[in-house]
């Protein structure tokens, strides 16, 4: 009798164990079936920005996916930029072109800044671009179109990489935007908003620069009288912490001539964007210029899923100052003329 009872208990225990195992297996299958799909889904009509579908369709009609460099068009446009702006010689304030005792006139508020021995010391000796040319260059904007694009390796494979406004590159961003950096820009407004004008501790700012290696760090410090002090603090922090990055300063005369040039091309807006300045410089310095991350709309051009304003945040640009859509249409025109290559798709697809 005891033996029978023992056998029944064993059978019941085994049955319970099997039930539990089956239940867990079913639960795992249920979770697997209902796990969120990591791929982006098509947006609902309500998620499309107003009028975006029509605008995007129009852009895709204008945009020539089959690209080939047109040497004659490229050389002609490059000559135009050089005659009007001459970034190869004039883009940077240097000890060579701005001696002690001379004056710098800010391009925005026309403030006159005397070049003191202290200011002279933080200027680079000579223009780093005057004798340099590269075969391939990438100018990398920060549009949300770069998210999940897989463009990191393609960007890093070019000879010279320009990035705008201290964008994050490490960790989850690396595969989409790459790490290679030869030139990165930093607007004084970023130093003010993100790092408290560097009035207190500066470790966060300095630590953020390590990802750019020994690249050039370009500040437009002489755009207005209020910009110079925060830029000088940034340079002192870099020197004090012995960061290998090289600070350089945009020549305000160059910014003036650039704005005038782009307005002559029909690009509206109070001022050209940082990206526009960098594209102009790249066209002078590079034989083939690639643009990434310059899509200005809030839905993807091919699958129409929603995009953030930047690949790292959703902070909008200041539409009162920059006319990003105008600039973008101009990049499309230059792309179609074979002057530069504008990338709109993912680098792992045929649309790149």
């Amino acid at each position: 009798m005891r033996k029978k009872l023992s056998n029944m208990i064993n059978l019941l225990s085994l049955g319970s164990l099997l039930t539990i195992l089956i239940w867990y297996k079913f639960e795992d299958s249920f979770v697997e079936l209902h796990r969120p799909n990591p791929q982006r889904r098509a947006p609902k009509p309500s998620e499309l920005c107003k009028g975006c579908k029509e605008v995007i369709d129009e852009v895709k009609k204008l945009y020539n996916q089959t690209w080939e460099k047109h040497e004659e068009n490229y050389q002609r446009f490059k000559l135009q930029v050089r005659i009007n702006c001459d970034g190869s010689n004039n883009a940077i304030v240097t000890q060579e072109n701005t001696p002690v005792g001379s004056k710098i006139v800010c391009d925005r508020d026309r403030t006159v800044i005397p070049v003191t021995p202290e200011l002279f010391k933080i200027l680079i000796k000579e223009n780093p671009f005057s004798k340099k040319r590269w075969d391939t260059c990438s100018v990398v904007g920060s549009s949300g179109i770069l998210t999940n694009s897989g463009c990191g390796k393609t960007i890093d494979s070019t000879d010279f990489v320009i990035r705008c406004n201290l964008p994050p590159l490490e960790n989850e961003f690396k595969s989409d935007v790459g790490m290679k950096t030869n030139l990165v820009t930093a607007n004084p407004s970023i130093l003010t908003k993100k790092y408290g004008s560097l009035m207190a501790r500066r470790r966060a700012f300095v630590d953020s620069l390590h990802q750019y290696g020994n690249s050039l760090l370009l500040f437009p410090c002489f755009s207005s009288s209020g910009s110079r002090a925060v830029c000088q603090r940034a340079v002192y922090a870099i020197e004090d912490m012995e960061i290998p990055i090289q600070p350089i300063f945009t020549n305000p005369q160059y910014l003036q001539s650039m704005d005038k040039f782009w307005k002559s091309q029909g690009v509206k807006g109070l001022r050209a964007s940082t990206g526009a300045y960098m594209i102009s410089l790249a066209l002078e310095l590079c034989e083939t210029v690639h643009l990434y991350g310059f899509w200005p709309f809030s839905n993807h051009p091919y699958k129409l899923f929603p995009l953030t304003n930047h690949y790292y945040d959703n902070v909008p640009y200041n539409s009162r100052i920059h006319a990003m859509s105008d600039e973008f249409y101009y990049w499309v025109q230059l792309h179609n003329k074979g002057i530069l290559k504008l990338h709109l798709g993912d680098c792992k697809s045929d649309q790149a």
Side-chain angles (χ1 to χ4, degrees):
M1 185 71 179
R2 279 183 187 174
K3 191 174 181 180
K4 285 183 180 179
L5 186 60
S6 177
N7 288 338
M8 284 181 67
I9 290 170
N10 287 337
L11 285 169
L12 284 169
S13 299
L14 183 61
S16 298
L17 182 61
L18 286 170
T19 302
I20 290 167
L21 288 171
I22 291 166
W23 186 84
Y24 274 118
K25 184 68 177 173
F26 174 77
E27 185 184 47
D28 283 347
S29 301
F30 181 82
V31 170
E32 190 64 39
L33 285 169
H34 290 79
R35 189 166 286 150
N37 191 333
Q39 295 182 346
R40 289 156 160 163
R41 58 181 174 75
K44 298 173 184 176
S46 60
E47 293 175 322
L48 277 165
C49 56
K50 188 177 180 181
C52 269
K53 179 69 167 63
E54 295 75 15
V55 170
I56 290 169
D57 286 343
E58 187 61 33
V59 167
K60 286 196 292 188
K61 285 179 188 175
L62 295 172
Y63 177 76
N64 185 0
Q65 288 190 38
T66 305
W67 187 85
E68 187 176 347
K69 184 181 176 185
H70 193 296
E71 191 63 33
E72 187 180 341
N73 288 347
Y74 163 75
Q75 292 295 345
R76 188 184 299 119
F77 191 79
K78 180 178 180 177
L79 183 61
Q80 265 189 286
V81 176
R82 183 168 293 168
I83 290 170
N84 285 278
C85 310
D86 195 12
S88 297
N89 296 307
N90 297 330
I92 308 301
V93 176
T94 68
Q95 291 183 352
E96 198 172 64
N97 61 28
T98 314
V100 174
S102 62
K103 293 179 173 58
I104 298 171
V105 181
C106 296
D107 58 288
R108 283 193 220 162
D109 59 11
R110 310 308 295 164
T111 299
V112 177
I113 298 173
V115 179
T116 62
E118 183 185 16
L119 178 56
F120 182 79
K121 282 180 186 175
I122 65 172
L123 303 180
I124 195 168
K125 288 184 179 180
E126 57 185 23
N127 192 317
F129 308 125
S130 59
K131 298 172 185 176
K132 298 284 183 70
R133 295 296 179 270
W134 292 271
D135 287 334
T136 57
C137 296
S138 290
V139 183
V140 187
S142 299
S143 165
I145 197 174
L146 285 171
T147 305
N148 291 346
S149 66
C151 286
K153 287 183 180 178
T154 311
I155 290 169
D156 285 353
S157 69
T158 51
D159 299 322
F160 195 83
V161 180
I162 300 173
R163 302 183 187 274
C164 301
N165 296 329
L166 298 179
L169 309 178
E170 297 175 319
N171 302 322
E172 72 269 29
F173 305 119
K174 183 164 62 173
S175 62
D176 295 325
V177 302
M179 288 290 294
K180 182 177 180 177
T181 307
N182 300 97
L183 171 66
V184 61
T185 70
N187 283 341
S189 59
I190 293 174
L191 303 180
T192 301
K193 292 173 185 175
K194 195 170 180 180
Y195 300 107
S197 299
L198 302 177
M199 294 298 289
R201 294 187 181 274
R202 300 166 188 181
R203 172 61 67 182
F205 166 67
V206 170
D207 285 349
S208 74
L209 300 181
H210 285 291
Q211 62 191 317
Y212 309 117
N214 60 349
S215 64
L216 297 166
L217 175 57
L218 180 60
F219 294 105
C221 287
F222 304 115
S223 285
S224 63
S225 57
S227 303
R228 179 172 58 97
V230 69
C231 289
Q232 282 191 251
R233 287 194 290 274
V235 173
Y236 294 151
I238 290 166
E239 290 178 351
D240 291 346
M241 302 290 185
E242 298 182 345
I243 302 299
I245 205 163
Q246 172 65 64
I248 55 176
F249 305 110
T250 317
N251 188 337
Q253 292 178 349
Y254 176 71
L255 295 179
Q256 269 191 305
S257 60
M258 276 306 323
D259 269 330
K260 187 177 179 181
F261 173 73
W262 286 119
K263 282 183 171 63
S264 74
Q265 300 299 303
V267 177
K268 298 174 185 175
L270 187 62
R271 286 198 311 277
S273 68
T274 301
Y277 294 135
M278 294 301 99
I279 291 167
S280 308
L281 186 61
L283 285 166
E284 286 195 55
L285 302 175
C286 313
E287 288 301 312
T288 303
V289 177
H290 296 265
L291 305 190
Y292 297 88
F294 279 85
W295 178 253
F297 308 111
S298 55
N299 289 90
H300 194 278
Y302 296 109
K303 297 180 183 177
L304 296 180
F305 47 69
L307 298 172
T308 52
N309 283 304
H310 304 114
Y311 68 81
Y312 51 83
D313 68 29
N314 202 28
V315 177
Y317 68 88
N318 191 336
S319 57
R320 292 176 298 176
I321 296 176
H322 302 307
M324 295 299 197
S325 296
D326 269 18
E327 289 186 7
F328 174 76
Y329 280 109
Y330 198 77
W331 311 144
V332 172
Q333 290 177 49
L334 296 185
H335 169 93
N336 290 343
K337 291 176 181 177
I339 295 169
L340 52 74
K341 183 169 184 181
L342 173 65
H343 296 258
L344 294 187
D346 295 345
C347 290
K348 51 202 171 191
S349 76
D350 293 333
Q351 296 165 336

